[in-house]
Amino acid sequence: MLENRKFIIIGVFCLVGLLYAARLFYLQILDDSYSLESSSNSIKRVIEVPYRGQIYDRSGKLMVYNTPVYDLYVTPKRVKIPDTLAFCRMMDLSLSEFDSIMSIAKAYSPVKPSVFLRQLSKEDYARIQDALVDYRGFEPVMSSMRTYPSHTMANALGYVSEISKKKLENQETPYYRQGDYIGHNGLEEAYEVELRGRRGIKYMMQNVRGVDKGSFKNGEFDTAAVAGKNLYTSIDVDVQRYADSLMQNKVGAIIAIDPGTGEILTSVSAPTYDPNLLSSRLFSKNYRKLIANPYKPLINRPIMASYRPGSTFKLIQALIAQQQGTLFSNTYYGHAGSPMRCHCRGGNNLRGAVQNSCNPYFYQVFRKYIYHNGNPNTFRASAIGLQEWHDHVIKFGIGEKLGVDLPSELRGNLPTVGFYDRAYMHHGESRWKFSNIYSLSIGEGELLISPLKLANLAAIIANRGWYIAPHYVKGIGKLGEGIPEKYREKHYTDIDPQYYIPVIEGMRMAVAAGTVKKEADISGIELCGKTGTSQNARFGHDHDHSIFIGFAPMNNPKIAIAVFVENAGWGGVAAASAAALVAERYLKRKTEATKLSEWLMKQNYMPPLSMLPQPRVAVPAAKKPADTTTKKVLPNDSLRRLRPMLTLARKEIAGSGQ
């Protein structure tokens, strides 16, 4: 019995020994993967950066592609330079520039490669390729540079540049290395994961001088890079370039949407810049110039600018009041009883009020809406009515993000009961009523709306009550594929379709025989629209902002559009003309209203530099005497300071136009 146990134990030990021996034989003789770690001196790990996906317009025209370039990396600990001055001459660098770059590289890591020089052209690389053999520690990596052949839509496209230290440190899933490129702003950032692809790895043998001697094990352990997916946008690049030309020497935005799909057709932010400026070795220099430009060309105005909507907001007032039951298409109001002046003769029904943009009419509409459940000029009645108004308006996407597929979309401002409670707090009690908020009736006061949201409002009216979140993507990988589901979902406003009819008819009358410049009623377009003139407190009424929203044609609309032209005054002139011309170019594929087009291109509404805010100069604060006492600032002091601003806004209303 004991003999049997002895043999069993010996057998177990022998079996374990054989297993260990077999494993060691496999690891040392058969498995080559560990030799990659043990042969760091003779095997080089080369990261292959994939080509970034290209970007196309809706018809397949190329908007962004990749130009092959080389990035030169340096590993400080391996660097050996026999003659630094000769090396600097070869690289076209000064000695101080060389020292600065090397200091940054050493600070990052002495043993890890980091960028030494960016975006060497094929010609530049060919010139230094052979000489690099004499300088250890430097290695070229094939890369690419974004190229923008259409020279347009810089703000919406974004740009590609080196990843920042903050983004590098805050990665949720480690992917990027120091010196890697990443999309910033616009579509380049929004679709970074799809566009960047997947990097590959190659293992190369090298001799003691660092000269490549071919792939290791015939590439058995290599992984191929996978190119990024192409992005197909909904932009019509021909119309986009034309819209750009209309906004020369102007500050503002043009945004056009296909109301049936929510696809953005045109996205102009003016002034703009050539996107190629931020796609070269001169990135830092060009970026600093753009940042310093007082006209702020880096702001993507269609989604980031906030304006008072002016009289374009009257369309929402008309729709929600009809739904509430306090307004009918034949409801008639004159000018009597209104604190607001108006350019029209007075006495309008709903269609006429939209056509002529009658301020007193919509003052009465708003007042009736607010007080339909209570007595006028009491706080409680105003609060109840304003809350109901807010709940209706927010369904048009006002005061919240629409979810466009770009970063940095602003929410804007849709004032609430709580906002006025805080603004008019006195001795612990809110004291505000209709006389404090009636400027909202014509889109002034505390309302702030982006051009995108007004274009979306035009799409809602064109669709008689629904919209799809505006978006730039029309396909990821292939046209029509990969579109996020949220860009197929319809959002409804809870306004019955019947109430849109008189509003639309009034909008058509506004273009045909109302507040719009006569030449902007282009034959064959059947444009429906609403003008607006947004107050510009900074420069006064002579420089109010020109606004227009609309859609075309009247039945079965194909394009909804919003135009903002800062400092251009009357909404029916500059903004309406631009909208009509863009709609014509999209629908007809040509421009027949050539005189109107030539006139608008010649207009210059750029404010003089002397009128723009000057950069603040930091001045050291003087030290206070020891016995100086400071006033205690109450938590609601900042809100109390709103009162003069609100009072000024109400006083300015008398001069507001359509």
Side-chain angles (χ1 to χ4, degrees), residues 561-635:
I561 190 167
V563 179
F564 280 74
V565 185
E566 295 186 16
N567 316 303
W570 200 263
V573 181
S577 298
L581 289 165
V582 170
E584 180 194 35
R585 176 61 69 95
Y586 179 71
L587 295 172
K588 292 184 177 180
R589 310 310 303 170
K590 60 182 178 180
T591 297
E592 294 177 349
T594 53
K595 289 185 178 179
L596 181 64
S597 181
E598 291 168 2
W599 170 83
L600 185 58
M601 288 183 185
K602 291 178 182 177
Q603 302 308 301
N604 187 336
Y605 299 114
M606 300 289 282
L609 288 174
S610 59
M611 298 176 68
L612 297 176
Q614 298 302 309
R616 294 181 180 179
V617 178
V619 179
K623 291 185 178 180
K624 296 180 181 179
D627 61 346
T628 300
T629 58
T630 56
K631 177 186 175 183
K632 184 178 181 181
V633 180
L634 299 175

Side-chain angles (χ1 to χ4, degrees), residues 9-10 108 112 150 175 182 208 216 254 294 335 355 398 412 450 463 478 534 538 598 601 633 653:
I9 293 171
I10 293 172
Y108 166 64
K112 293 181 180 179
S150 55
Y175 177 84
I182 189 173
V208 292
F216 175 73
I254 298 177
H335 286 183
Q355 175 188 9
I398 310 300
S450 68
N463 292 331
K478 292 184 179 179
S534 178
R538 183 191 298 169
E598 291 168 2
M601 288 183 185
V633 180
I653 288 167

Side-chain angles (χ1 to χ4, degrees), residues 490-511:
K490 289 184 179 180
H491 303 269
Y492 292 88
T493 61
D494 293 341
I495 305 293
D496 291 342
Q498 61 178 320
Y499 297 134
Y500 287 88
I501 304 305
V503 171
I504 291 171
E505 290 173 348
M507 292 173 71
R508 177 64 194 132
M509 292 161 62
V511 176

